[in-house]
Amino acid sequence: MGGSAAAAGKSVSGGGRAAPRVPVPEARPFLDTFRANLKETFFPDDPFRAVVRERGFGRRAAAALRYFFPFLEWAPAYRLGTFKSDLIAGITIASLAIPQGISYAKLANLPPILGLYSSFVPPLVYAMMGSSKDLAVGTVAVASLLIGSMLGAEVSPTDNPALYLHLAFTATFFAGVIQASLGILRLGFIVDFLSHAAIVGFMGGAATVVCLQQLKGMLGLEHFTTSTDLVSVMRSVFSQTHQWRWESVVLGCGFLFFLLLTRFFSKRQPRLFWISAAAPLTSVILGSLLVYFTHAENHGVQIIGNLKKGLNPISVTNLQFTPPYMMLALKTGLITGVIALAEGIAVGRSFAMFKNYHIDGNKEMIAIGTMNILGSFTSCYLTTGPFSRSAVNYNAGCKTAMSNVIMSLAVMVTLLFLTPLFHYTPLVVLSAIIMSAMLGLIDFPAAVHLWHVDKVDFCVCAGAYLGVVFGSVEMGLVVAVAISVLRVLLFVARPRTTVLGNVPDTNVYRRMDQYTTARTVPGVLVLRVDSPIYFANSGYLRERITRWIDDDDERTSAKGETGVQYVVLDMGAVGSIDTSGTSMLDELKKTLDRRGIQIVLANPGSEIMKKLDSSKVLELIGHEWIFPTVGEAVAECDFVLHSHKPGMVSGSATRENMV
């Protein structure tokens, strides 16, 4: 360490004052700094670089169109071999989308035909505007449950079905507007406040609630609670034991076992993915044939009934923009839109990672928002990219978003010609389809992983799950977001500070609680601050640094060793500082001076140096006590301590002054 100390601080100009070891960058004009920060905040991926690089208005306009309509990039180079792969994938996901669409519409307390409508128009829009090759668009269970529970709490779908239907369209419209606005305004980072742990817990809780709701169909009950919490559902189930239908129980359990068995085989043999993909449609066909030939509808087995033939009717005139229900639709659209957005982007990014390509999150928000806006005009309710359907699309070998077009055309044929075939489809089969899909969303391995890796994240996950299951879906979402935001605030307001020690035979300083061989330097306390210094944490940092010094003084006095004379702050992890932070360093400097302790800064960044210089704190501390590395700072302090003469004020002599 003495060798490095001799090397540190030798840059003396003509035997006079040494040049600053850490230079202060030149000040940039405020507008330039503001523009750079704004670009880094809202355009970190520089999305329009391809447009700017083009020369001429026409070429730039074409590049802009390719940005907002990604199909213009892959469509000109589309080949027959690619179409064959997309054709197989599109037909495969259509076989899954048709029964799922009908099932999820029932979950939202909407007419079953809306599930087919929502699998026709939105996939066409996404195929033109979406950047994911693998995302298969359609309705999802969680959003359907949210719509059913939030709208159903204010408007009865049985007593006032027309108003309920119109509010579902209006909520979808508001969801689309919010989603597209987040993308246009480059506010996609807001969705990131739904952490992975919160999503795991929320989705698991929502899946549990959805499964509980299917007990109505599985048991053949005609009346059921509108509440979604566990206690209300169990009370409703066991208070009607005399109305349980054994026919529905046998059918439901049988088809549920069949669906779970096909999923098991598909997981064991990924090449047989088509078995689980075709299982829902197979269940619908078998269930319909069974009811038709046995006349089970006359024995308590409920069926879908008539489905209207024809394509989506226009619904733009049905949107409700007048009180008192507009705010209900807006609240429902906001919550369901954000949840659907988070799910769709997460699924798209997952499969993009598998195939090593990139999707633009903000562009995806615009695409998903636009398809929901147009969907609300054409009798569709909220859609996004469900994981189960996208996984089938991926495993089926899709190459582009054309698979969504194929699926949409298959649904169109169904709407025009095949809807009468679903007349005898038993509702219990739809309940079994929903339950089998939801069981896959309860991710027990992920929860166990969170427990082993991060207990706080596990608490976020558990809080979201319990909030959904024992409260409501909205309560679970609020709990998940609140705990996640609280954790972020705690990270900011209570940043970690650690004591660093010297690793033997090196000039490296590391955390002493991690490196057990690291040793402190007598008289020098090295502290690392692991966050930016803001108004929210400046007071805490001042108190925590003072407490570290007091603790070290108690330890050294008990052993008869040299007390703290230098406090070295490692600023390498301090990315920024505000005026409260500079004031804190100013106060800390004056407080330590009264105790005869010198404050030393190591590895401050350019932003920190500029703020300290403009606030005069740099002049107060002194350029000679600013070092580029912790090793050099400690070496200088150690040199001064060993060169200390009787009567010399601590910290008044540096090696530059003594040269």
Side-chain angles (χ1 to χ4, degrees), residues 251 287-299:
L251 274 177
S288 301
L289 291 175
L290 184 63
V291 170
Y292 178 77
F293 286 112
T294 62
H295 302 288
E297 73 276 14
N298 298 326
H299 300 281

Side-chain angles (χ1 to χ4, degrees), residues 290-338:
L290 184 63
V291 170
Y292 178 77
F293 286 112
T294 62
H295 302 288
E297 73 276 14
N298 298 326
H299 300 281
V301 176
Q302 302 174 38
I303 59 175
I304 289 179
N306 292 321
L307 290 181
K308 186 173 63 174
K309 291 173 62 175
L311 299 181
N312 305 31
I314 300 300
S315 59
V316 63
T317 57
N318 296 329
L319 301 182
Q320 296 282 331
F321 295 122
T322 56
Y325 295 111
M326 188 184 75
M327 292 309 298
L328 172 63
L330 178 60
K331 182 180 73 170
T332 305
L334 173 63
I335 294 177
T336 57
V338 172

Side-chain angles (χ1 to χ4, degrees), residues 99-265:
Q100 275 192 352
I102 296 173
S103 304
Y104 293 160
K106 291 292 293 181
L107 183 61
N109 298 320
L110 294 168
I113 194 67
L114 259 68
L116 298 181
Y117 290 161
S118 301
S119 297
F120 172 48
V121 173
L124 294 176
V125 178
Y126 185 83
M128 292 188 294
M129 301 186 66
S131 57
S132 173
K133 303 175 185 178
D134 303 281
L135 202 68
V137 171
T139 55
V140 289
V142 175
S144 300
L145 175 67
L146 277 168
I147 289 175
S149 63
M150 296 184 70
L151 295 182
E154 301 290 337
V155 179
S156 172
T158 54
D159 297 339
N160 202 342
L163 177 60
Y164 183 88
L165 180 64
H166 297 168
L167 288 177
F169 294 150
T170 309
T172 301
F173 172 79
F174 281 129
V177 170
I178 292 167
Q179 291 167 338
S181 300
L182 289 175
I184 293 172
L185 299 176
R186 311 293 293 181
L187 297 176
F189 60 87
I190 293 178
V191 180
D192 294 335
F193 279 97
L194 285 172
S195 65
H196 171 68
I199 291 176
V200 169
F202 177 79
M203 297 297 286
T208 302
V209 168
V210 170
C211 289
L212 292 173
Q213 290 290 313
Q214 300 320 299
L215 293 177
K216 174 186 178 182
M218 296 289 284
L219 299 175
L221 300 176
E222 294 185 4
H223 304 286
F224 205 68
T225 179
T226 57
S227 302
T228 59
D229 62 283
L230 177 65
V231 175
S232 299
V233 171
M234 290 295 99
R235 183 185 298 117
S236 180
V237 168
F238 289 104
S239 64
Q240 304 182 72
T241 53
H242 59 286
Q243 296 184 12
W244 292 7
R245 309 291 303 194
W246 68 267
E247 300 94 338
S248 295
V249 174
V250 171
L251 274 177
C253 293
F255 280 110
L256 180 60
F257 176 76
F258 169 71
L259 291 165
L260 295 178
L261 187 64
T262 57
R263 176 182 296 176
F264 173 77
F265 281 124

Side-chain angles (χ1 to χ4, degrees), residues 24 30 36-37 40 92 100 151 188 266 269 290 309 339 348 418 423 439 445 507 528 540 569 593 616 631 649:
V24 179
F30 170 75
N37 291 336
E40 188 62 29
T92 304
Q100 275 192 352
L151 295 182
S266 296
Q269 295 291 336
L290 184 63
K309 291 173 62 175
I339 291 295
L418 304 180
H423 177 88
L439 291 175
N507 197 32
R528 177 180 175 86
Y540 168 78
L569 297 182
D593 279 349
K616 306 300 181 182
V649 178

